[in-house]
Amino acid sequence: MTVPDPALVVLVGASGSGKSTWAGRRYRAEEVVSSDALRGVVGSGPHDLDASADAFAVLEAVVAARVGRRLTTVVDTLGLDAGRRRAWLAAARGAGLPAVVVVLDTAAQECRRRNASRDRPVPAAVLDQQLRRVREVVAEVADEGWDDVVTEPGDAPAAPAPGATGRDVTAPDGPDRTASTGVEVLLQVARFPWGEDPMGWLRGIALAADEAGFAGLALMDHLVQVPQVGRAWDPIPEPWVALGSLAGLGTGLRLGPLCTPVTFRQPGITAKAAATLSALNGGRAFLGIGAGWWEREHAAFGLPFPPAGARLDELELSIRVLRALWAPGTKAFAAPGIELPETTSYPRPTGPLPVVVGGGGERRTLRIAAELGDACNLVTSDPEVLRHKVEVLRRHCADVGRAPEEVAVTVLDLAVVGRDRDDVWARVERHRGRTAAATFASRRNAGTVAQHRDRHAALAASGVSTVFLATPDLDDPEAVLELAGLND
């Protein structure tokens, strides 16, 4: 945008819309007259609302003095008071100074995210009022006689609200690692051959995944290693502890469990763990969640294992509780089966924390994903099966009143990946056990990196946004780096 210079520039935007950042990047500090900054001068700090009257008295004096001298003056307040705006406009007219309004058009959810991260956030109800008032002001200033009214996007990407988009199932704060195939590939780590150095092995795998361009890293949540992956006495870590340790590495990876069973923890505890991971990882966390399926591990750890219908009821309830505990404010929450007198749960997630509903049950699971999830994760990459599941999901979306694109489709891709044909078949022989080689190769999508890229492109064409790649050959960081070509 081009603004006359000198000029009076009046900013309009809710708390967290980025007004001060916008002004600071375009004008000298002496040219910006900020109500927040002046609260810090005449009060105890920029958020000392008790000092507002004195701060605005100083602000009016400074604006009048600068405009009277025909100096560029950027008024950094909410800009929502029509009387003050008209007075500033009249002063500019009297001085022969051009007058411009700049509206910071930042998404409401982004304003809420920024506000929540502040030491002294504006109360949620007040911020909601500001957001509504900004929309009214846009219409008002068009009739006030300003030389120009400019709408500027916020300086940071708008953050979609949970459930508001189906393209990225992970948080937006971080590098875009969508491969040229059209999907993001996250590494699913299921085996942990870490020997005598568990943290060193985990660290090496995560750093290699980051170097190889993976969009993220997911861990299974099981109490005993599942027979499809290894032996019962093989190590399998508690995922929230392990993910928390990886959050400190400073990578660009999204981190989360795929999937955490609702039967393992009360939903409030899961909400707390996920929000903490989000805070530690700079908003790059996600939560894969499901109804649980393996009775043996429940029995081994003394956990109830209700029938499938009851577990699905718990899945639905859990997601509602998660949403309530992550939402602004501390109001009470009630739903069939639970009543919370308050929702005081801090830290809040740093930005959206996507919920990925695991499972392909067509009657209940996909409906829960359609109504409450940001994504559903299907344990299949078979084109025909996938096409059918996506059609069922879309029908459920229509039934609950959501657009299909609001719920992303992700897949858990069980794959054997080799450097060339000989290497692929050597890996098949190593892992197939008593299963016929051709059958195992087909079930595990055995192929080279190039062949898997072709499959991923076909998945993207069918509406898949994210692939969680699970391969049995993640013995060390070098094995992860061999997969880098999947992310080109």
Side-chain angles (χ1 to χ4, degrees):
M1 61 170 283
T2 301
V3 174
D5 191 17
L8 169 69
V9 181
V10 175
L11 304 184
V12 172
S15 299
S17 61
K19 299 182 299 298
S20 298
T21 300
W22 185 92
R25 290 178 178 174
R26 293 161 176 82
Y27 294 94
R28 296 183 300 117
E30 294 81 2
E31 296 172 320
V32 180
V33 189
S34 164
S35 55
D36 283 350
L38 290 173
R39 284 190 190 95
V41 173
V42 301
S44 62
H47 303 297
D48 182 1
L49 298 182
D50 292 337
S52 291
D54 290 337
F56 270 95
V58 175
L59 181 143
E60 298 291 2
V62 174
V63 170
R66 291 189 61 84
V67 169
R69 292 180 174 84
R70 301 192 76 255
L71 296 172
T72 287
T73 305
V74 181
V75 184
D76 180 9
T77 69
L78 295 175
L80 305 181
D81 187 309
R84 282 198 169 101
R85 288 198 311 273
R86 294 190 182 101
W88 297 330
L89 176 59
R93 289 281 179 266
L97 197 64
V100 176
V101 165
V102 176
V103 180
L104 272 294
D105 185 21
T106 305
Q109 183 65 18
E110 179 67 10
C111 292
R112 294 187 181 100
R113 184 189 69 79
R114 294 173 181 172
N115 180 59
S117 68
R118 292 174 170 175
D119 291 337
R120 295 281 300 277
V122 173
V126 174
L127 180 55
D128 287 342
Q129 292 173 356
Q130 293 177 8
L131 291 165
R132 288 193 294 270
R133 179 71 183 120
V134 167
R135 293 194 293 269
E136 298 169 353
V137 168
V138 170
E140 291 174 6
V141 295
D143 298 324
E144 289 177 354
W146 298 85
D147 294 304
D148 202 357
V149 177
V150 180
T151 300
E152 281 280 275
D155 282 319
T165 178
R167 287 311 304 160
D168 247 335
V169 305
T170 46
D173 296 335
D176 181 2
R177 295 188 175 183
T178 304
S180 60
T181 56
V183 298
E184 284 195 327
V185 185
L186 282 74
L187 191 65
Q188 169 86 344
V189 182
R191 292 175 59 250
F192 300 87
W194 54 30
E196 300 300 317
D197 186 12
M199 189 60 232
W201 185 88
L202 273 175
R203 180 178 183 277
I205 293 294
L207 293 177
D210 193 40
E211 181 180 346
F214 282 97
L217 186 148
L219 299 182
M220 293 200 307
D221 190 358
H222 282 289
L223 302 173
V224 178
Q225 181 59 275
V226 297
Q228 299 92 323
V229 174
R231 304 164 301 182
W233 54 88
D234 288 337
I236 182 165
E238 201 286 328
W240 294 109
V241 174
L243 290 166
S245 71
L246 297 180
L249 296 180
T251 70
L253 297 170
R254 279 87 157 144
L255 298 174
L258 194 76
C259 285
T260 191
V262 295
T263 48
F264 282 4
R265 305 168 189 86
Q266 290 294 319
I269 303 304
T270 299
K272 187 76 170 179
T276 301
L277 179 62
S278 174
L280 295 177
N281 197 35
R284 295 185 301 277
F286 62 91
L287 172 60
I289 191 168
W293 58 269
W294 197 22
E295 185 173 8
R296 173 184 170 182
E297 62 187 341
H298 290 76
F301 280 73
L303 298 175
F305 187 69
R311 300 199 309 277
L312 289 166
D313 290 342
E314 184 64 25
L315 174 61
E316 181 174 348
L317 176 64
S318 293
I319 298 174
R320 296 187 188 279
V321 172
L322 295 170
R323 300 290 195 202
L325 288 170
W326 295 339
T330 60
K331 54 186 175 295
F333 170 78
I338 192 168
E339 186 169 338
L340 305 179
E342 59 179 315
T343 50
T344 305
S345 179
Y346 294 92
R348 297 292 206 231
T350 304
L353 206 168
V355 175
V356 184
V357 179
E362 296 179 12
R363 189 178 68 86
R364 288 288 311 276
T365 306
L366 292 183
R367 186 175 183 86
I368 292 170
E371 182 178 2
L372 300 173
D374 298 295
C376 72
N377 187 65
L378 302 171
V379 189
T380 181
S381 52
D382 178 270
E384 291 301 318
V385 175
L386 184 61
R387 187 177 301 112
H388 172 69
K389 298 289 186 182
V390 170
E391 288 175 356
V392 173
L393 175 68
R394 288 172 176 166
R395 288 199 297 270
H396 283 309
C397 285
D399 290 343
V400 301
R402 292 184 74 185
E405 61 270 18
E406 292 184 13
V407 185
V409 177
T410 77
V411 298
L412 177 60
D413 189 28
L414 306 176
V416 173
V417 188
R419 293 181 296 276
D420 52 34
R421 187 175 178 83
D422 287 339
D423 185 39
V424 169
W425 281 96
R427 294 170 189 256
V428 168
E429 283 298 313
R430 183 162 65 247
H431 297 299
R432 70 182 181 87
R434 296 185 178 183
T435 306
T439 301
F440 182 86
S442 176
R443 289 176 180 171
R444 297 301 296 262
N445 300 301
T448 62
V449 168
Q451 289 172 322
H452 284 290
R453 283 180 54 80
D454 289 342
R455 284 196 317 106
H456 290 174
L459 290 173
S462 68
V464 172
S465 66
T466 302
V467 170
F468 291 93
L469 180 76
T471 175
D473 292 307
L474 297 183
D475 293 328
D476 50 41
E478 288 70 26
V480 177
L481 295 174
E482 289 178 356
L483 304 172
L486 296 171
N487 304 302
D488 293 340

